[in-house]
Amino acid sequence: RASVVCHENRIKGLSLVDVVLDGVVHAVVVSISSDGRIKTWKLADLLDPICKHAEQSTASDEVMDLVAEPLATYNADVRLTCVASSTATF
């Protein structure tokens, strides 16, 4: 078992959107926390370390905290409570 550490504070909202990066469509997770930080992650970057750890793990009670690097981070300097995302361009 494993978990990915994405925020230092409580996560208040998650949203998933498909984004084209370098000509390839990626599932991107947008997360917000109560400290006002908005972060984006490629879903594959979050899942790959967990899957690799699960394949190598032998003890069922072992839990490993993995740290993932976000694609981008923004500090809104306000207490965020929800998030919505869209692929629409303006």
Coordinates of all heavy atoms in Angstrom, one line a residue:
R1 N 0.8 -1.2 0.0 CA 0.0 0.0 0.0 C 0.9 1.2 0.0 O 1.9 1.2 0.6 CB -0.9 0.0 1.2 CG -1.9 -1.2 1.3 CD -2.8 -1.2 2.4 NE -2.1 -0.8 3.7 CZ -2.8 -0.4 4.7 NH1 -4.1 -0.3 4.7 NH2 -2.2 0.0 5.8
A2 N 0.4 2.3 -0.6 CA 1.1 3.5 -0.7 C 0.2 4.7 -0.9 O -1.0 4.5 -1.3 CB 2.1 3.5 -1.9
S3 N 0.6 5.9 -0.5 CA -0.1 7.1 -0.7 C 0.8 8.1 -1.2 O 2.0 8.0 -1.0 CB -0.8 7.6 0.6 OG 0.2 7.9 1.5
V4 N 0.3 9.1 -1.9 CA 1.1 10.2 -2.5 C 0.9 11.5 -1.7 O -0.3 11.9 -1.6 CB 0.8 10.4 -4.0 CG1 1.6 11.5 -4.6 CG2 1.1 9.1 -4.8
V5 N 1.9 12.1 -1.2 CA 1.8 13.3 -0.5 C 1.8 14.5 -1.6 O 2.8 14.6 -2.3 CB 3.0 13.5 0.5 CG1 2.9 14.8 1.2 CG2 3.0 12.4 1.4
C6 N 0.7 15.2 -1.6 CA 0.5 16.2 -2.7 C 0.5 17.6 -2.0 O 0.9 18.6 -2.7 CB -0.7 16.0 -3.5 SG -0.7 14.4 -4.4
H7 N -0.1 17.7 -0.9 CA -0.2 19.0 -0.2 C 0.2 18.8 1.3 O 0.0 17.7 1.8 CB -1.7 19.5 -0.2 CG -2.1 20.0 -1.5 ND1 -1.9 21.3 -2.0 CD2 -2.7 19.4 -2.6 CE1 -2.4 21.5 -3.2 NE2 -2.9 20.3 -3.6
E8 N 0.7 19.9 1.9 CA 1.0 19.8 3.3 C -0.3 20.0 4.2 O -0.3 19.5 5.3 CB 2.0 20.9 3.7 CG 3.4 20.6 3.1 CD 4.4 21.6 3.5 OE1 4.2 22.3 4.6 OE2 5.4 21.6 2.9
N9 N -1.3 20.7 3.6 CA -2.5 20.9 4.4 C -3.6 20.0 3.7 O -3.4 19.3 2.7 CB -3.0 22.3 4.3 CG -2.1 23.2 5.1 OD1 -1.1 22.8 5.7 ND2 -2.4 24.5 5.2
R10 N -4.8 20.1 4.3 CA -5.9 19.3 3.9 C -6.3 19.6 2.4 O -6.4 20.8 2.1 CB -7.1 19.5 4.8 CG -8.3 18.7 4.5 CD -9.3 18.8 5.5 NE -9.7 20.2 5.7 CZ -10.8 20.6 6.3 NH1 -11.6 19.7 6.8 NH2 -11.1 21.9 6.5
I11 N -6.6 18.6 1.6 CA -7.0 18.8 0.3 C -8.5 19.1 0.3 O -9.3 18.4 0.9 CB -6.8 17.6 -0.6 CG1 -5.3 17.4 -0.8 CG2 -7.5 17.8 -2.0 CD1 -4.9 16.2 -1.6
K12 N -8.9 20.3 -0.3 CA -10.3 20.7 -0.3 C -11.1 20.4 -1.5 O -12.3 20.3 -1.6 CB -10.4 22.2 0.0 CG -9.8 22.7 1.3 CD -10.6 22.2 2.5 CE -11.9 23.0 2.6 NZ -12.6 22.8 3.7
G13 N -10.4 20.1 -2.6 CA -11.1 19.8 -3.9 C -10.1 19.2 -4.9 O -8.9 19.5 -4.9
L14 N -10.7 18.4 -5.8 CA -10.0 17.7 -6.9 C -10.9 17.9 -8.2 O -12.1 17.8 -8.1 CB -9.8 16.3 -6.6 CG -8.8 15.9 -5.5 CD1 -8.9 14.4 -5.2 CD2 -7.4 16.3 -5.8
S15 N -10.2 18.0 -9.3 CA -10.9 18.0 -10.6 C -9.9 17.4 -11.6 O -8.7 17.4 -11.4 CB -11.1 19.5 -11.0 OG -11.9 19.5 -12.2
L16 N -10.5 16.7 -12.6 CA -9.7 16.0 -13.6 C -10.1 16.6 -14.9 O -11.3 16.7 -15.3 CB -10.1 14.5 -13.5 CG -9.3 13.6 -14.5 CD1 -7.8 13.6 -14.1 CD2 -9.9 12.2 -14.4
V17 N -9.1 16.8 -15.8 CA -9.3 17.4 -17.1 C -8.2 16.8 -18.0 O -7.1 16.5 -17.6 CB -9.2 18.9 -17.0 CG1 -7.8 19.4 -16.6 CG2 -9.6 19.6 -18.4
D18 N -8.6 16.6 -19.3 CA -7.7 16.1 -20.3 C -7.0 17.4 -20.9 O -7.7 18.3 -21.3 CB -8.4 15.3 -21.4 CG -8.9 14.0 -21.0 OD1 -8.2 13.4 -20.1 OD2 -9.8 13.5 -21.5
V19 N -5.7 17.3 -21.0 CA -4.9 18.4 -21.5 C -3.9 17.9 -22.5 O -3.3 16.8 -22.3 CB -4.1 19.1 -20.3 CG1 -3.2 20.2 -20.8 CG2 -5.1 19.7 -19.3
V20 N -3.6 18.6 -23.6 CA -2.7 18.2 -24.6 C -1.3 18.9 -24.2 O -1.2 20.1 -24.2 CB -3.1 18.7 -26.0 CG1 -2.0 18.3 -27.0 CG2 -4.4 18.0 -26.4
L21 N -0.3 18.0 -24.0 CA 1.0 18.5 -23.7 C 2.0 17.8 -24.7 O 2.0 16.6 -24.8 CB 1.5 18.1 -22.3 CG 0.6 18.7 -21.1 CD1 1.0 18.0 -19.8 CD2 0.8 20.2 -21.0
D22 N 2.7 18.6 -25.4 CA 3.6 18.1 -26.5 C 2.9 17.2 -27.4 O 3.5 16.2 -27.8 CB 4.8 17.5 -25.8 CG 5.6 18.4 -24.9 OD1 5.7 19.6 -25.3 OD2 6.1 17.9 -23.9
G23 N 1.7 17.5 -27.8 CA 0.9 16.7 -28.8 C 0.3 15.4 -28.2 O -0.3 14.7 -29.0
V24 N 0.4 15.2 -26.9 CA -0.1 14.0 -26.3 C -1.2 14.4 -25.3 O -1.0 15.3 -24.5 CB 1.0 13.2 -25.6 CG1 0.4 11.9 -25.0 CG2 2.1 12.8 -26.6
V25 N -2.3 13.7 -25.3 CA -3.4 14.0 -24.3 C -3.0 13.3 -23.0 O -2.7 12.1 -23.0 CB -4.7 13.5 -24.9 CG1 -5.8 13.7 -23.8 CG2 -5.1 14.1 -26.2
H26 N -3.1 14.1 -22.0 CA -2.8 13.6 -20.6 C -4.0 13.9 -19.7 O -4.6 15.0 -19.8 CB -1.5 14.3 -20.0 CG -0.3 14.0 -20.7 ND1 0.5 12.8 -20.5 CD2 0.4 14.7 -21.7 CE1 1.5 12.9 -21.3 NE2 1.5 13.9 -22.0
A27 N -4.3 13.0 -18.8 CA -5.2 13.3 -17.7 C -4.5 14.1 -16.7 O -3.5 13.7 -16.1 CB -5.8 12.0 -17.1
V28 N -5.0 15.3 -16.4 CA -4.4 16.2 -15.4 C -5.3 16.4 -14.2 O -6.5 16.7 -14.4 CB -4.0 17.5 -16.1 CG1 -3.5 18.5 -15.0 CG2 -2.9 17.3 -17.1
V29 N -4.8 16.2 -13.0 CA -5.5 16.4 -11.8 C -5.2 17.8 -11.3 O -4.1 18.2 -11.2 CB -5.1 15.4 -10.7 CG1 -5.8 15.7 -9.4 CG2 -5.4 14.0 -11.2
V30 N -6.3 18.6 -11.0 CA -6.1 19.9 -10.3 C -6.6 19.7 -8.9 O -7.6 19.2 -8.6 CB -7.0 21.0 -11.0 CG1 -6.9 22.3 -10.4 CG2 -6.7 21.1 -12.5
S31 N -5.7 20.1 -8.0 CA -6.0 20.0 -6.6 C -5.8 21.3 -5.9 O -5.0 22.1 -6.2 CB -5.1 18.9 -5.9 OG -3.8 19.3 -6.0
I32 N -6.7 21.5 -4.8 CA -6.6 22.7 -4.0 C -6.5 22.3 -2.6 O -7.1 21.3 -2.2 CB -7.8 23.7 -4.3 CG1 -9.1 23.1 -3.9 CG2 -7.8 24.2 -5.7 CD1 -10.2 24.1 -3.8
S33 N -5.9 23.2 -1.8 CA -5.8 22.9 -0.3 C -6.2 24.1 0.4 O -6.3 25.2 -0.1 CB -4.4 22.5 0.1 OG -3.5 23.6 -0.1
S34 N -6.5 23.9 1.7 CA -7.0 25.0 2.5 C -6.0 26.1 2.8 O -6.4 27.2 3.2 CB -7.5 24.4 3.9 OG -6.5 23.7 4.5
D35 N -4.7 25.9 2.4 CA -3.7 27.0 2.5 C -3.7 27.9 1.3 O -2.9 28.8 1.3 CB -2.3 26.4 2.8 CG -1.8 25.6 1.7 OD1 -2.5 25.4 0.6 OD2 -0.7 25.1 1.8
G36 N -4.6 27.6 0.3 CA -4.7 28.5 -0.8 C -3.8 28.1 -2.0 O -3.8 28.8 -3.0
R37 N -3.2 26.9 -1.9 CA -2.4 26.5 -3.1 C -3.2 25.6 -4.1 O -4.0 24.8 -3.7 CB -1.2 25.7 -2.6 CG -0.2 26.6 -1.9 CD 1.1 25.9 -1.7 NE 2.2 26.8 -1.3 CZ 2.2 27.6 -0.3 NH1 1.1 27.9 0.4 NH2 3.3 28.3 0.0
I38 N -3.0 25.9 -5.3 CA -3.6 25.2 -6.4 C -2.4 24.5 -7.1 O -1.4 25.1 -7.5 CB -4.3 26.1 -7.5 CG1 -5.3 27.0 -6.8 CG2 -4.8 25.3 -8.6 CD1 -5.8 28.1 -7.6
K39 N -2.6 23.2 -7.3 CA -1.5 22.4 -7.9 C -2.1 21.5 -9.1 O -3.2 21.1 -9.0 CB -0.8 21.5 -6.9 CG -0.1 22.3 -5.8 CD 0.7 21.3 -4.9 CE 1.4 22.1 -3.8 NZ 2.2 21.3 -3.0
T40 N -1.3 21.3 -10.1 CA -1.7 20.4 -11.2 C -0.7 19.2 -11.3 O 0.5 19.4 -11.0 CB -1.8 21.1 -12.5 OG1 -0.5 21.7 -12.8 CG2 -2.8 22.2 -12.5
W41 N -1.2 18.1 -11.6 CA -0.5 16.9 -11.7 C -0.9 16.0 -12.9 O -2.1 15.9 -13.2 CB -0.7 16.0 -10.4 CG -0.8 16.7 -9.2 CD1 -2.0 17.4 -8.7 CD2 0.2 16.9 -8.2 NE1 -1.7 17.9 -7.5 CE2 -0.4 17.6 -7.1 CE3 1.5 16.5 -8.1 CZ2 0.4 18.0 -6.0 CZ3 2.2 16.8 -7.0 CH2 1.6 17.6 -6.0
K42 N 0.1 15.4 -13.5 CA -0.3 14.4 -14.5 C -0.7 13.2 -13.7 O 0.0 12.7 -12.8 CB 0.9 14.1 -15.5 CG 1.1 15.1 -16.6 CD 1.9 14.5 -17.7 CE 3.3 14.5 -17.4 NZ 4.2 14.1 -18.5
L43 N -1.9 12.6 -14.0 CA -2.4 11.5 -13.3 C -1.4 10.3 -13.3 O -1.2 9.6 -12.3 CB -3.8 11.1 -13.8 CG -4.5 9.9 -13.1 CD1 -4.7 10.3 -11.6 CD2 -5.8 9.6 -13.8
A44 N -0.8 10.1 -14.5 CA 0.2 9.0 -14.6 C 1.4 9.2 -13.6 O 1.9 8.2 -13.1 CB 0.7 8.9 -16.0
D45 N 1.8 10.4 -13.4 CA 2.9 10.7 -12.5 C 2.5 10.4 -11.1 O 3.4 10.1 -10.2 CB 3.4 12.2 -12.6 CG 4.1 12.5 -13.9 OD1 4.4 11.6 -14.7 OD2 4.3 13.7 -14.2
L46 N 1.3 10.5 -10.7 CA 0.8 10.1 -9.4 C 0.6 8.6 -9.2 O 1.0 8.0 -8.2 CB -0.5 10.8 -9.1 CG -0.5 12.3 -9.0 CD1 -2.0 12.8 -8.8 CD2 0.4 12.8 -7.9
L47 N 0.1 7.9 -10.3 CA -0.1 6.5 -10.2 C 1.1 5.6 -10.4 O 1.2 4.6 -9.8 CB -1.2 6.1 -11.2 CG -2.6 6.7 -11.0 CD1 -3.6 6.3 -12.1 CD2 -3.1 6.4 -9.6
D48 N 2.0 6.0 -11.2 CA 3.2 5.1 -11.5 C 4.0 4.8 -10.3 O 4.3 3.6 -10.1 CB 4.1 5.8 -12.6 CG 3.5 5.7 -14.0 OD1 2.5 5.0 -14.2 OD2 4.0 6.5 -14.9
P49 N 4.3 5.7 -9.4 CA 5.1 5.3 -8.2 C 4.3 4.4 -7.3 O 4.9 3.5 -6.7 CB 5.4 6.6 -7.5 CG 5.2 7.7 -8.5 CD 4.2 7.2 -9.5
I50 N 3.0 4.6 -7.2 CA 2.2 3.7 -6.4 C 2.2 2.3 -7.0 O 2.3 1.3 -6.2 CB 0.8 4.3 -6.2 CG1 0.8 5.6 -5.4 CG2 -0.2 3.3 -5.6 CD1 -0.5 6.3 -5.4
C51 N 2.0 2.2 -8.3 CA 1.9 0.9 -8.9 C 3.3 0.1 -8.8 O 3.3 -1.1 -8.5 CB 1.5 1.0 -10.4 SG -0.1 1.6 -10.6
K52 N 4.4 0.9 -9.0 CA 5.7 0.3 -8.8 C 5.9 -0.2 -7.4 O 6.5 -1.3 -7.2 CB 6.8 1.2 -9.3 CG 6.8 1.5 -10.7 CD 7.9 2.5 -11.1 CE 7.8 2.7 -12.6 NZ 8.6 3.8 -13.1
H53 N 5.5 0.6 -6.4 CA 5.7 0.2 -5.0 C 4.9 -1.0 -4.7 O 5.3 -2.0 -4.0 CB 5.3 1.3 -4.1 CG 5.3 1.0 -2.7 ND1 6.4 0.8 -1.9 CD2 4.2 0.7 -1.8 CE1 6.1 0.4 -0.7 NE2 4.8 0.4 -0.6
A54 N 3.6 -1.1 -5.2 CA 2.8 -2.2 -5.0 C 3.4 -3.5 -5.6 O 3.2 -4.6 -5.0 CB 1.4 -2.0 -5.6
E55 N 4.0 -3.4 -6.7 CA 4.6 -4.6 -7.4 C 5.8 -5.1 -6.5 O 6.0 -6.3 -6.5 CB 5.1 -4.3 -8.8 CG 4.0 -4.0 -9.8 CD 4.5 -3.5 -11.1 OE1 5.7 -3.2 -11.2 OE2 3.6 -3.3 -12.0
Q56 N 6.5 -4.2 -5.9 CA 7.7 -4.6 -5.1 C 7.4 -4.9 -3.7 O 8.2 -5.5 -3.0 CB 8.7 -3.4 -5.2 CG 9.2 -3.1 -6.6 CD 10.0 -1.9 -6.6 OE1 10.1 -1.1 -5.7 NE2 10.6 -1.6 -7.8
S57 N 6.3 -4.5 -3.2 CA 5.9 -4.7 -1.7 C 5.6 -6.1 -1.4 O 4.9 -6.8 -2.2 CB 4.8 -3.8 -1.4 OG 4.5 -4.0 0.0
T58 N 6.1 -6.6 -0.3 CA 5.8 -8.0 0.1 C 4.9 -8.0 1.3 O 4.1 -8.9 1.5 CB 7.0 -8.8 0.4 OG1 7.8 -8.1 1.4 CG2 7.9 -9.0 -0.9
A59 N 5.0 -7.0 2.2 CA 4.2 -6.9 3.4 C 2.9 -6.1 3.2 O 3.0 -5.0 2.7 CB 5.0 -6.2 4.5
S60 N 1.8 -6.8 3.5 CA 0.5 -6.1 3.3 C 0.2 -4.9 4.2 O -0.6 -4.1 3.9 CB -0.6 -7.1 3.4 OG -0.7 -7.7 4.7
D61 N 0.9 -4.9 5.4 CA 0.7 -3.8 6.3 C 1.6 -2.6 6.1 O 1.4 -1.5 6.7 CB 0.9 -4.3 7.7 CG -0.2 -5.2 8.2 OD1 -1.3 -5.2 7.6 OD2 0.0 -6.0 9.1
E62 N 2.5 -2.7 5.2 CA 3.5 -1.7 4.9 C 2.8 -0.6 4.1 O 2.2 -0.8 3.0 CB 4.7 -2.2 4.1 CG 5.7 -1.2 3.7 CD 6.8 -1.8 2.8 OE1 6.8 -3.0 2.6 OE2 7.6 -1.0 2.4
V63 N 2.9 0.7 4.5 CA 2.4 1.8 3.8 C 3.5 2.8 3.6 O 4.2 3.2 4.5 CB 1.3 2.5 4.6 CG1 0.8 3.8 3.9 CG2 0.1 1.6 4.9
M64 N 3.7 3.2 2.4 CA 4.8 4.1 2.0 C 4.2 5.4 1.5 O 3.3 5.4 0.7 CB 5.7 3.5 1.0 CG 6.8 4.4 0.5 SD 7.9 3.6 -0.7 CE 9.3 3.4 0.4
D65 N 4.7 6.5 2.1 CA 4.3 7.9 1.6 C 5.2 8.3 0.5 O 6.4 8.4 0.7 CB 4.3 8.9 2.7 CG 3.2 8.8 3.7 OD1 2.1 8.3 3.3 OD2 3.3 9.2 4.8
L66 N 4.7 8.5 -0.7 CA 5.5 8.9 -1.9 C 5.2 10.4 -2.1 O 4.2 10.9 -1.9 CB 5.1 8.1 -3.1 CG 5.2 6.6 -2.9 CD1 4.5 5.8 -4.0 CD2 6.6 6.1 -2.7
V67 N 6.3 11.1 -2.6 CA 6.1 12.5 -2.9 C 6.2 12.7 -4.4 O 7.1 12.2 -5.1 CB 7.3 13.3 -2.2 CG1 7.1 14.8 -2.5 CG2 7.2 13.1 -0.7
A68 N 5.2 13.4 -4.9 CA 5.2 13.7 -6.4 C 5.4 15.2 -6.6 O 5.0 16.0 -5.8 CB 3.8 13.3 -6.9
E69 N 6.1 15.5 -7.7 CA 6.3 16.9 -8.1 C 5.2 17.4 -9.0 O 4.9 16.7 -10.0 CB 7.6 17.0 -8.8 CG 8.8 16.8 -7.9 CD 9.0 17.8 -6.8 OE1 8.7 19.0 -7.1 OE2 9.3 17.4 -5.7
P70 N 4.5 18.5 -8.7 CA 3.4 19.0 -9.5 C 3.9 19.6 -10.8 O 5.1 20.0 -10.9 CB 2.8 20.1 -8.7 CG 3.9 20.5 -7.8 CD 4.8 19.3 -7.5
L71 N 3.1 19.6 -11.8 CA 3.4 20.3 -13.1 C 3.5 21.8 -12.8 O 4.3 22.5 -13.4 CB 2.3 20.1 -14.1 CG 2.2 18.7 -14.7 CD1 0.9 18.6 -15.6 CD2 3.4 18.3 -15.5
A72 N 2.5 22.3 -12.0 CA 2.5 23.8 -11.7 C 1.9 23.9 -10.3 O 1.1 23.1 -9.9 CB 1.7 24.5 -12.7
T73 N 2.3 25.0 -9.7 CA 1.7 25.4 -8.4 C 1.4 26.9 -8.4 O 2.2 27.7 -9.0 CB 2.8 25.2 -7.3 OG1 3.1 23.8 -7.3 CG2 2.2 25.5 -5.9
Y74 N 0.3 27.3 -7.8 CA -0.1 28.7 -7.7 C -0.6 28.9 -6.3 O -1.4 28.2 -5.8 CB -1.1 29.1 -8.8 CG -1.6 30.5 -8.7 CD1 -0.8 31.5 -9.1 CD2 -2.8 30.8 -8.1 CE1 -1.2 32.8 -9.0 CE2 -3.3 32.1 -8.0 CZ -2.4 33.1 -8.5 OH -2.9 34.4 -8.4
N75 N -0.2 30.0 -5.7 CA -0.7 30.4 -4.4 C -1.7 31.5 -4.5 O -1.4 32.6 -4.9 CB 0.4 30.8 -3.4 CG 0.0 31.0 -2.0 OD1 -1.2 31.0 -1.7 ND2 0.9 31.3 -1.1
A76 N -3.0 31.2 -4.3 CA -4.1 32.1 -4.5 C -4.2 33.1 -3.3 O -4.9 34.1 -3.4 CB -5.4 31.4 -4.6
D77 N -3.4 32.9 -2.2 CA -3.5 33.7 -1.0 C -4.8 33.9 -0.4 O -5.1 34.9 0.2 CB -2.8 35.1 -1.3 CG -1.3 35.0 -1.4 OD1 -0.7 34.1 -0.6 OD2 -0.7 35.8 -2.1
V78 N -5.7 32.9 -0.6 CA -7.1 32.9 0.0 C -7.4 31.5 0.4 O -6.7 30.6 0.0 CB -8.2 33.4 -1.0 CG1 -8.0 34.9 -1.3 CG2 -8.2 32.6 -2.2
R79 N -8.3 31.3 1.3 CA -8.8 30.0 1.7 C -9.7 29.4 0.6 O -10.8 29.9 0.5 CB -9.5 30.1 3.1 CG -9.8 28.7 3.6 CD -10.3 28.8 5.0 NE -10.6 27.5 5.5 CZ -11.9 27.1 5.7 NH1 -12.9 27.9 5.5 NH2 -12.1 25.9 6.2
L80 N -9.2 28.4 -0.1 CA -10.0 27.8 -1.2 C -10.9 26.7 -0.6 O -10.6 26.0 0.3 CB -9.1 27.2 -2.2 CG -8.1 28.2 -2.9 CD1 -7.0 27.5 -3.7 CD2 -8.9 29.2 -3.7
T81 N -12.1 26.6 -1.2 CA -13.1 25.6 -0.7 C -13.6 24.7 -1.8 O -14.2 23.7 -1.5 CB -14.3 26.3 -0.1 OG1 -14.9 27.2 -1.1 CG2 -13.9 27.1 1.1
C82 N -13.4 25.0 -3.1 CA -13.8 24.2 -4.2 C -13.0 24.5 -5.5 O -12.4 25.5 -5.6 CB -15.3 24.3 -4.5 SG -15.8 26.0 -5.0
V83 N -13.1 23.6 -6.4 CA -12.4 23.7 -7.7 C -13.2 23.1 -8.8 O -14.0 22.2 -8.7 CB -11.0 23.0 -7.6 CG1 -11.1 21.5 -7.5 CG2 -10.2 23.3 -8.9
A84 N -13.1 23.8 -10.0 CA -13.7 23.3 -11.2 C -12.7 23.5 -12.3 O -12.0 24.5 -12.3 CB -15.1 24.0 -11.5
S85 N -12.7 22.7 -13.3 CA -11.8 22.8 -14.4 C -12.5 22.6 -15.7 O -13.5 21.9 -15.8 CB -10.5 21.9 -14.3 OG -11.0 20.6 -14.2
S86 N -11.9 23.1 -16.8 CA -12.5 23.0 -18.1 C -11.4 22.9 -19.2 O -10.4 23.5 -19.0 CB -13.5 24.2 -18.4 OG -13.9 24.2 -19.7
T87 N -11.7 22.3 -20.3 CA -10.8 22.3 -21.4 C -11.1 23.4 -22.4 O -10.5 23.5 -23.4 CB -10.9 20.9 -22.2 OG1 -12.2 20.7 -22.6 CG2 -10.4 19.8 -21.3
A88 N -12.1 24.2 -22.1 CA -12.5 25.3 -23.0 C -11.4 26.3 -23.1 O -10.7 26.6 -22.1 CB -13.8 26.0 -22.5
T89 N -11.2 26.9 -24.3 CA -10.2 28.0 -24.5 C -11.0 29.3 -24.7 O -12.0 29.3 -25.4 CB -9.3 27.7 -25.7 OG1 -10.1 27.4 -26.8 CG2 -8.4 26.5 -25.3
F90 N -10.4 30.4 -24.3 CA -11.1 31.7 -24.4 C -10.2 32.6 -25.2 O -9.1 32.6 -25.2 CB -11.4 32.2 -23.0 CG -12.3 31.4 -22.2 CD1 -11.7 30.4 -21.3 CD2 -13.6 31.4 -22.3 CE1 -12.5 29.6 -20.5 CE2 -14.5 30.6 -21.5 CZ -13.9 29.7 -20.6

